[in-house]
Amino acid sequence: MSVQERKQRERADRERLIVATARELAEQQGWDAVTTRRLAERIEYSQPVLYSHFRGKREIIGAVALDGATEMAIALRAATSAADGPHTRVTALAHAYLDFAARNPAVYDALFQLDGGLAYAQEDTPEPLKDAFAALLESLGEVAGDGVHPGLFTEVFWASLHGLATLTRAGRLLPEDAAQRVELLVDRLAVV
């Protein structure tokens, strides 16, 4: 291995450590606790080293969001791959989405609530975000209904899931009705 290759590998390792540490800190204490000073202390590097990887917290949030989008796409596809039939598949998708949001609140915030400097629904949208949307579209496109654009239907269904995720997390919805909400959403919106 050349010196250049070793330096590139070490740089990539440091970057992964910064992102993982930011995510861990955000999951434990919230995004307000994530500062470059605290990150530098936790990973035992100087703040200038952090700034050599990320210009600031916004870019770190973006990196966490991209990793989260990849994880969410994997979770959605895993949940739907074993489902038999459109209704079961869409129900599994909805539960997997809501479970991901509940298990990873800081990542979910990085993806959908905070400014990570990422473009959404644009030509320059990063691939992990496009793939997460594609993971939704793969199951939802087949239940959009006649004359309904699959992408538009996916956006509406996704917005409904996002609303359920954020309202549940904020304690605005009764937890015991969660399964009924998913069934109602699937039964009323999806044409199966």
Side-chain angles (χ1 to χ4, degrees):
M1 175 183 304
S2 73
V3 171
Q4 181 68 16
E5 289 172 330
R6 182 181 52 78
K7 285 184 178 185
Q8 287 175 339
R9 188 186 73 222
E10 289 171 354
R11 180 173 175 74
D13 289 345
R14 259 193 322 272
E15 193 165 299
R16 279 191 295 277
L17 177 62
I18 293 166
V19 172
T21 304
R23 177 180 178 166
E24 179 183 312
L25 186 57
E27 291 292 1
Q28 291 170 352
Q29 299 176 31
W31 278 105
D32 288 341
V34 179
T35 64
T36 53
R37 169 179 261 152
R38 288 186 81 187
L39 286 174
E41 289 171 3
R42 282 206 174 191
I43 65 172
E44 299 178 344
Y45 283 103
S46 67
Q47 283 182 292
V49 170
L50 266 89
Y51 286 116
S52 74
H53 291 275
F54 300 98
R55 284 181 281 192
K57 182 176 176 177
R58 181 178 185 221
E59 285 188 3
I60 293 169
I61 290 169
V64 170
L66 292 176
D67 284 353
T70 299
E71 291 173 24
M72 185 170 73
I74 290 168
L76 296 178
R77 287 186 175 112
T80 58
S81 68
D84 186 30
H87 186 275
T88 306
R89 197 167 14 266
V90 174
T91 301
L93 174 89
H95 284 294
Y97 183 95
L98 295 171
D99 289 346
F100 180 87
R103 281 192 328 273
N104 304 284
V107 172
Y108 193 81
D109 285 349
L111 273 164
F112 303 120
Q113 305 285 70
L114 301 174
D115 179 9
L118 303 173
Y120 286 78
Q122 307 291 324
E123 271 190 42
D124 61 340
T125 298
E127 282 306 313
L129 298 178
K130 288 179 181 179
D131 189 50
F133 186 78
L136 291 165
L137 181 61
E138 289 162 10
S139 292
L140 294 171
E142 68 180 319
V143 298
D146 293 337
V148 178
H149 187 278
L152 185 61
F153 177 78
T154 299
E155 289 173 348
V156 171
F157 200 93
W158 170 34
S160 299
L161 289 173
H162 176 71
L164 289 175
T166 56
L167 290 170
T168 299
R169 186 164 142 206
R172 304 294 198 273
L173 301 175
L174 294 172
E176 59 267 20
D177 295 333
Q180 288 177 307
R181 281 187 206 94
V182 169
E183 283 301 317
L184 182 61
L185 179 64
V186 173
D187 290 346
R188 299 299 175 159
L189 280 184
V191 178
V192 289

